[in-house]
Amino acid sequence: MPSRDDTLSRRDLLQQAGAGTLALAAGSFSRSASGEESGRSVTRLAEHLLVYHGPINAGVVRNGKKALLIDLGDGRVLGALAEMGIASVEQVLFTHHHRDQACGAHLLGDSVRISVPAAERDCFDKAADYWNNPKHRWHIYNQHPHHLMLAESIRVDAVLKDGDVVRWGPAQIRVLATPGHTDGSVSYLVEVDEKKVVFCGDAIYGE
């Protein structure tokens, strides 16, 4: 059996992997495009790519006055879009079904296209089935999925699986299966303005 010094904790492994593969993205998140520290709630990674820092980080891909969002949080990103020169949202891509990622979806209009991981569709549009089952309401330990399920169902317009590509405006967005944080979590590799940035939901801990 290896000694403790020869083994890595899960957190250490993820942090080392993140440092190696996402160093460029991490640096971009902490600084504005001009290289100055960004103390505001929005960081510009490229001309057509921004991050809104609210309860969660929401990706904002822009095409003129229109936007595609990656995750939504409690929806306050919608109120910040005007400051970015954005007038409307056309699509939202969700990385996973937890409430902190998607609880603001009721603020979206019917014209906004909602896409979710294929493996988690039922967690989005059949939330009532989960909560109407008495064992899910009362058994609070060893819960799976868990009480981070959405309180109310969300309309689903499309499902996305590993390898799918979404082309929107100037961006190409590739779907990467990254199960672990939830069984069906996905990440989105956004290629735009000669940059590649991964939006991974909560799949990587720390910077």
Side-chain angles (χ1 to χ4, degrees):
M1 174 180 286
S3 70
R4 183 171 180 81
D5 290 339
D6 293 330
T7 62
L8 288 175
S9 70
R10 179 174 177 272
R11 177 177 293 181
D12 291 336
L13 180 64
L14 288 173
Q15 286 179 329
Q16 287 186 15
T21 61
L22 297 178
L24 178 61
S28 299
F29 272 66
S30 63
R31 295 179 181 273
S32 67
S34 65
E36 298 176 355
E37 293 293 335
S38 174
R40 295 178 294 180
S41 61
V42 177
T43 300
R44 181 181 298 275
L45 302 181
E47 179 181 354
H48 296 96
L49 184 62
L50 306 96
V51 178
Y52 175 79
H53 307 286
I56 63 158
N57 287 326
V60 182
V61 184
R62 66 174 303 162
N63 183 26
K65 292 184 176 295
K66 298 178 180 180
L68 175 150
L69 302 181
I70 299 175
D71 288 328
L72 185 66
D74 62 2
R76 70 183 74 179
V77 60
L78 300 172
L81 293 176
E83 298 176 10
M84 306 178 213
I86 295 170
S88 63
V89 176
E90 285 196 343
Q91 293 190 51
V92 179
L93 312 181
F94 286 107
T95 58
H96 62 288
H97 71 274
H98 282 171
R99 264 201 314 275
D100 57 343
Q101 305 298 120
C103 63
H106 66 282
L107 300 171
L108 298 171
D110 292 339
S111 63
V112 179
R113 182 177 175 84
I114 297 174
S115 299
V116 307
E120 296 196 348
R121 176 171 189 154
D122 287 355
C123 297
F124 285 89
D125 65 3
K126 292 184 173 64
D129 291 351
Y130 174 84
W131 291 111
N132 286 334
N133 186 330
K135 73 177 183 180
H136 292 154
R137 290 200 298 269
W138 307 118
H139 295 180
I140 62 173
Y141 298 106
N142 297 320
Q143 189 78 18
H144 190 78
H146 37 62
H147 286 323
L148 287 177
M149 289 283 290
L150 288 163
E152 297 179 344
S153 295
I154 292 174
R155 183 190 83 249
V156 172
D157 298 305
V159 295
L160 299 169
K161 63 184 185 305
D162 185 54
D164 285 350
V165 175
V166 176
R167 291 180 173 84
W168 186 86
Q172 175 176 284
I173 305 169
R174 184 172 298 278
V175 182
L176 307 173
T178 51
H181 183 61
T182 65
D183 290 347
S185 289
V186 301
S187 296
Y188 297 105
L189 172 62
V190 180
E191 299 184 49
V192 66
D193 301 331
E194 300 183 350
K195 287 183 176 287
K196 294 182 179 181
V197 179
V198 170
F199 290 87
C200 62
D202 295 322
I204 293 179
Y205 174 86
E207 293 184 358

